[in-house]
Amino acid sequence: MLEVSVLLLAGYFAGVLNAVAGGGSFLTFPALVWAGYPPIVANATSAVAVLPGYAGGSLGFRHELRQLSVQRHLQLSAIALIGGLCGALLLLVTPATVFAFVVPVLLLFATAMFALGPQLMAKVRKSGLPLPLLPGLFLVAIYGGYFNGGLGIMLLALFAAAGMQNLNLMNGLKNSLSFVLSFISVAAFAWAGKIIWTEGMLMMLAATLGGYQGAALARRLPVVWVKRFVVLVGLIMTMIFTYRLL
């Protein structure tokens, strides 16, 4: 019962965090590792838990997404799909010992991206050097299929570097492409038998409820407080996973 309670709470608060500021995977992934699951299985199951939030975010920005043609949507989705699949397959062939060693690095990188995201986007805009969207999307999608943390900020920075200006459209596209690449990575993890479905579905339901209630909280709670909390959690988890290697 303690394990189930912790996983449900992690899923719920991950949904709240994703609705308010992002960073929910900083809770779902460590909770699954704490419950005794290998890091690769925990990462795959965590992807299941946060998947519905991307679909909900896409629907929330459906009007902005209509500014893009169907052909452009299909082109970007296809690249995200291929990149996400490549990232998932890369994870599946990564030895468990290697992934356990890489996890603290990934957590620290994701935390830094989350903390410095706005500054990064501002510098990218000021640089005035356009970044090709499609190759950049492919690389970010590989990262997202391999490890989900910090994916949203990386996509937003990529869109800014590619010259996009409409923040609502960027957010909608971020959610849409995150859903596509996460969906294919979850399919690959399921095919490989790396997902613990009972725990994953419980966390997914809790995250969906948390996301729904978090939307109302987002209107009242200063986002800067939430962001600082997420960064603190990310740093603590980085230290814990580093200590586990010693």
Side-chain angles (χ1 to χ4, degrees), residues 63-127:
H63 297 297
E64 287 79 10
L65 287 172
R66 288 173 184 163
Q67 298 176 27
L68 296 179
S69 66
V70 174
Q71 182 180 2
R72 188 60 166 170
H73 270 295
L74 292 176
Q75 182 187 47
L76 296 175
S77 297
I79 292 174
L81 195 74
I82 296 170
L85 180 59
C86 290
L89 295 177
L90 180 62
L91 177 66
L92 292 176
V93 300
T94 301
T97 53
V98 174
F99 186 71
F101 180 80
V102 171
V103 162
V105 178
L106 293 173
L107 284 171
L108 183 61
F109 175 75
T111 303
M113 289 295 298
F114 188 88
L116 304 175
Q119 296 92 320
L120 175 63
M121 289 180 61
K123 288 186 177 181
V124 163
R125 287 187 185 279
K126 287 181 180 179
S127 69

Side-chain angles (χ1 to χ4, degrees), residues 20-235:
V20 177
S25 58
F26 289 140
L27 298 180
T28 53
F29 172 71
L32 286 160
V33 173
W34 170 85
Y37 298 106
I40 290 179
V41 172
N43 187 48
T45 305
S46 175
V48 174
V50 300
L51 185 61
Y54 295 135
S58 299
L59 290 174
F61 289 102
R62 61 188 181 277
H63 297 297
E64 287 79 10
L65 287 172
R66 288 173 184 163
Q67 298 176 27
L68 296 179
S69 66
V70 174
Q71 182 180 2
R72 188 60 166 170
H73 270 295
L74 292 176
Q75 182 187 47
L76 296 175
S77 297
I79 292 174
L81 195 74
I82 296 170
L85 180 59
C86 290
L89 295 177
L90 180 62
L91 177 66
L92 292 176
V93 300
T94 301
T97 53
V98 174
F99 186 71
F101 180 80
V102 171
V103 162
V105 178
L106 293 173
L107 284 171
L108 183 61
F109 175 75
T111 303
M113 289 295 298
F114 188 88
L116 304 175
Q119 296 92 320
L120 175 63
M121 289 180 61
K123 288 186 177 181
V124 163
R125 287 187 185 279
K126 287 181 180 179
S127 69
L129 298 174
L131 179 71
L133 176 60
L134 302 186
L137 175 59
F138 180 68
L139 294 176
V140 173
I142 291 176
Y143 170 83
Y146 189 85
F147 188 76
N148 199 263
L151 173 62
I153 283 295
M154 293 180 70
L155 284 172
L156 288 176
L158 171 66
F159 298 154
M164 296 181 66
Q165 300 289 334
N166 188 328
L167 186 57
N168 286 333
L169 174 59
M170 292 163 63
N171 271 315
L173 197 56
K174 173 200 72 176
N175 283 294
S176 174
L177 297 179
S178 294
F179 176 78
V180 169
L181 71 89
S182 296
F183 182 84
I184 192 62
S185 65
V186 165
F189 298 149
W191 171 78
K194 297 296 184 182
I195 295 174
I196 308 299
W197 285 107
T198 301
E199 288 79 352
M201 295 301 290
L202 285 174
M203 296 181 79
M204 183 177 71
L205 292 173
T208 303
L209 176 62
Y212 177 77
Q213 296 183 341
L217 184 63
R219 300 184 180 94
R220 306 174 186 174
L221 196 63
V223 175
V224 64
W225 293 1
V226 182
K227 287 188 174 181
R228 288 173 181 171
F229 174 75
V230 172
V231 171
L232 178 62
V233 170
L235 291 174

